[in-house]
Amino acid sequence: MKKFICIGLFFNAAIIFSQDKMVRHQINEEISYEVPSSFVLMSSGVRKQKYVSAREPLAMHSSMDREVDLGVNWNQMQWMDGEEETIYGFYKASIQSMFDEVEFIQDEIKEVNGKKFIVFEFISSLKSENAFSETKSSRNYTYIQYTSYNNQVLLFNFGCKARLMNQWQPVAAEIMNSVKVKEQ
């Protein structure tokens, strides 16, 4: 009986997500991407509770259940077109140093809608240990891509728990492949 309930829930979720159409979100005249229509823009209060950042992101979206997030942000690091190989190595090393384990699914420089992006899709593990709790481990799925925009770094970051990866990986790919960035 439990198997039938689990299968039923899976198919209901699959139907809901397959019917969730994509809508274009415009940051400005030069930056846009598609996001599931069921995603909501994260309020400043929710974002501050969930993420620590000195810089206000350009946009933060979340699924209705708040288990999946999509962020669009920028970094003041200088980046000129043509420097992808150098910056690729910097970001890959940075990702690897942030987690205990990283399993890359995609790890490349590719063109999306006429613009070069550094793309990392991976599952990460992070073990936390402190004096007040037992050792805990979290596994997450992340799809992140970076590009130059007005000589700075523009990044798109999709993330969820690794247990949700099979359900959300195709959506993440659709979002990332829909990104359009034009220089001013």
Side-chain angles (χ1 to χ4, degrees), residues 78-105:
Q78 293 293 303
W79 177 356
M80 304 289 281
D81 281 331
E83 296 178 336
E84 290 82 13
E85 289 294 330
T86 303
I87 293 172
Y88 161 86
F90 170 79
Y91 277 117
K92 183 171 183 175
S94 177
I95 288 168
Q96 290 173 315
S97 71
M98 290 188 328
F99 302 103
D100 293 317
E101 294 177 23
V102 177
E103 177 187 332
F104 286 101
I105 299 164

Side-chain angles (χ1 to χ4, degrees), residues 22-79:
M22 302 294 276
V23 294
R24 183 143 301 271
H25 184 83
Q26 197 85 29
I27 296 288
N28 58 29
E29 290 182 16
E30 293 88 31
I31 305 167
S32 68
Y33 53 93
E34 291 182 356
V35 65
S37 61
S38 65
F39 275 36
V40 294
L41 278 171
M42 201 179 286
S43 71
S44 178
V46 170
R47 185 194 53 76
K48 287 176 183 173
Q49 284 179 345
K50 207 167 182 178
Y51 299 101
V52 177
S53 176
R55 183 179 303 108
E56 188 71 26
L58 298 173
M60 287 294 296
H61 301 268
S62 187
S63 61
M64 295 299 277
D65 61 7
R66 305 248 184 254
E67 293 219 48
V68 180
D69 293 334
L70 170 68
V72 181
N73 212 336
W74 61 278
N75 183 322
Q76 292 179 335
M77 184 173 100
Q78 293 293 303
W79 177 356

Side-chain angles (χ1 to χ4, degrees), residues 51 88 115 130 157:
Y51 299 101
Y88 161 86
K115 184 88 171 140
N130 65 48
N157 186 358

Side-chain angles (χ1 to χ4, degrees), residues 95-104 122-128 135-142 160-163:
I95 288 168
Q96 290 173 315
S97 71
M98 290 188 328
F99 302 103
D100 293 317
E101 294 177 23
V102 177
E103 177 187 332
F104 286 101
F122 58 92
I123 298 171
S124 62
S125 296
L126 185 62
K127 296 175 185 144
S128 69
T135 301
K136 294 181 181 176
S137 180
S138 65
R139 286 177 38 87
N140 292 301
Y141 165 72
T142 302
C160 65
K161 296 290 182 192
R163 65 180 165 73

